[in-house]
Amino acid sequence: MSDTIEKIKCLIIGSGPAGYTAAIYAARANMNPVLYQGMQPGGQLTTTNEVENFPGYVDGVTGPEMMMQLQAQAQRFGADIRDGWATKVDFSGSVHKVWINDTIELHCETVIISTGASAKYLGLPSEQHYLKMGGGVSACAVCDGFFYRNQEVVIVGAGDSACEEAHYLSKLCKKVTMLVRSEKFRASKIMEERVRATENITILMNHDTVEVLGDEQVVTGIKVRNKTTDEIFEIPATGFFVAIGHQPNTTIFKDYITLDETGYIVNTPGTSKTNVAGVFVAGDAADHVYRQAITAAGTGCMAALDAERYLAAKGH
């Protein structure tokens, strides 16, 4: 552990729209925020090629470009943006202790957790290839469905959000093929019935994805296997949506912060407050419903304002 302990008024852990927005507000309020960018600087948006639904960007913007702009905006007001990630915390006392890269020890008056969530993928090399290429693999139908208007797409998943995303895609796309890996849906009855009743959704139960096919640049089809008959066949498609869930990046907080059964941080409704005074949450680490850049940014603002009020009440 480190010899020197750094004292920080406001520490922000994570650097997506939530973290950077919190940094902008905290810096403008003279809270001298320090932000550690984490394992994926810029967060999930850096895997998105085109962001067209964030208000104010008339012509759209790439995810990485938008994150660079948010970072520059936070730095303009004096936010201290650093490389590194939180590896351990101790929120048991009045001073909130956080360790960075297992070596640097920070003592913080307030902490804003904006560690986000990571989309789960199947892990196929072909899936990862086209995800990196930005050529047809996505974990967010609401973000990317628009790019597949009047095209044929495939979606993998069996839960409520998979059904919701399939239904969303059905209104934009010519044909949606839904691959359910087991013999039954995990979704609620009402959501299952909704997709079954949608004409242009074809549901294939008990099917596995074997490979994402394409021309190295863009997706052209999906190779699937019928687990009952072992038959392997191809489905033509320009888009492949993975809706098998998200994993919130909250494990290091579990001993101190209240999490729900899937690992999302439980906040006091209408606020960014957690069960620990002086520790706040913003963005997808606490949001399994909306998961949009704009909602994450909104909660980043809330967290900075809540932290500012907390400090003011303590006479800082």
Side-chain angles (χ1 to χ4, degrees):
M1 288 296 165
S2 68
D3 308 330
T4 55
I5 291 166
E6 189 179 357
K7 289 185 165 51
I8 289 174
K9 192 186 266 192
C10 177
L11 175 71
I12 300 165
I13 307 173
S15 60
Y20 284 136
T21 304
I24 290 165
Y25 273 81
R28 285 173 56 89
N30 291 333
M31 290 160 69
N32 308 322
V34 172
L35 180 151
Y36 277 93
Q37 292 180 308
M39 305 279 272
Q40 189 179 19
Q44 290 185 89
L45 265 195
T46 54
T47 65
T48 305
N49 265 22
E50 214 48 61
V51 180
E52 289 193 336
N53 52 9
F54 200 95
Y57 288 97
V58 183
D59 302 316
V61 61
T62 71
E65 190 186 350
M66 185 179 168
M67 289 305 99
M68 283 162 65
Q69 290 176 3
L70 281 183
Q71 179 179 336
Q73 192 174 351
Q75 286 170 316
R76 181 186 147 206
F77 298 116
D80 184 349
I81 311 286
R82 302 177 182 177
D83 288 334
W85 55 89
T87 45
K88 187 179 133 186
V89 301
D90 180 356
F91 294 158
S92 58
S94 57
V95 173
H96 306 111
K97 299 175 183 176
V98 178
W99 284 265
I100 303 294
N101 300 357
D102 288 325
T103 53
I104 304 161
E105 187 177 340
L106 310 175
H107 287 190
C108 316
E109 290 180 59
T110 58
V111 176
I112 294 172
I113 299 168
S114 51
T115 46
S118 303
K120 292 179 187 169
Y121 290 98
L122 300 175
L124 301 169
S126 56
E127 167 202 58
Q128 293 302 304
H129 170 79
Y130 289 104
L131 179 67
K132 287 189 182 74
M133 295 297 293
V137 173
S138 169
C140 181
V142 175
C143 314
D144 300 327
F146 183 80
F147 303 114
Y148 299 93
R149 279 168 309 169
N150 304 320
Q151 297 174 42
E152 298 188 5
V153 298
V154 171
I155 182 166
V156 178
D160 275 354
S161 58
C163 290
E164 208 169 289
E165 298 216 328
H167 189 253
Y168 179 87
L169 290 168
S170 73
K171 292 184 280 190
L172 298 167
C173 304
K174 195 159 59 180
K175 183 184 178 193
V176 179
T177 303
M178 190 171 187
L179 301 179
V180 178
R181 294 182 289 176
S182 66
E183 282 164 7
K184 57 177 189 290
F185 276 91
R186 287 198 324 274
S188 57
K189 213 74 201 131
I190 190 162
M191 292 304 287
E192 180 182 342
E193 281 163 8
R194 187 182 295 173
V195 292
R196 289 195 184 279
T198 307
E199 276 179 28
N200 61 337
I201 298 179
T202 302
I203 300 164
L204 299 178
M205 306 299 287
N206 225 18
H207 279 69
D208 267 342
T209 308
V210 177
E211 192 185 348
V212 179
L213 306 168
D215 62 2
E216 289 304 307
Q217 296 295 316
V218 295
V219 172
T220 56
I222 311 300
K223 187 186 283 187
V224 302
R225 180 173 73 90
N226 181 327
K227 289 162 79 172
T228 315
T229 64
D230 250 1
E231 180 203 355
I232 289 177
F233 59 99
E234 289 173 19
I235 303 169
T238 50
F240 182 62
F241 289 85
V242 186
I244 56 172
H246 286 74
Q247 184 62 47
N249 305 318
T250 56
T251 313
I252 64 164
F253 308 112
K254 70 178 188 309
D255 293 339
Y256 306 97
I257 299 289
T258 306
L259 308 178
D260 72 9
E261 66 282 357
T262 46
Y264 287 92
I265 291 174
V266 177
N267 56 304
T268 306
T271 77
S272 66
K273 295 171 186 173
T274 68
N275 59 298
V276 176
V279 178
F280 307 91
V281 63
D284 286 14
D287 175 15
H288 51 83
V289 179
Y290 300 105
R291 292 197 290 256
Q292 298 300 301
I294 187 73
T295 47
T299 56
C301 160
M302 289 163 66
L305 295 177
D306 285 341
E308 185 190 355
R309 284 170 190 154
Y310 171 83
L311 290 169
K314 284 182 69 183
H316 291 274

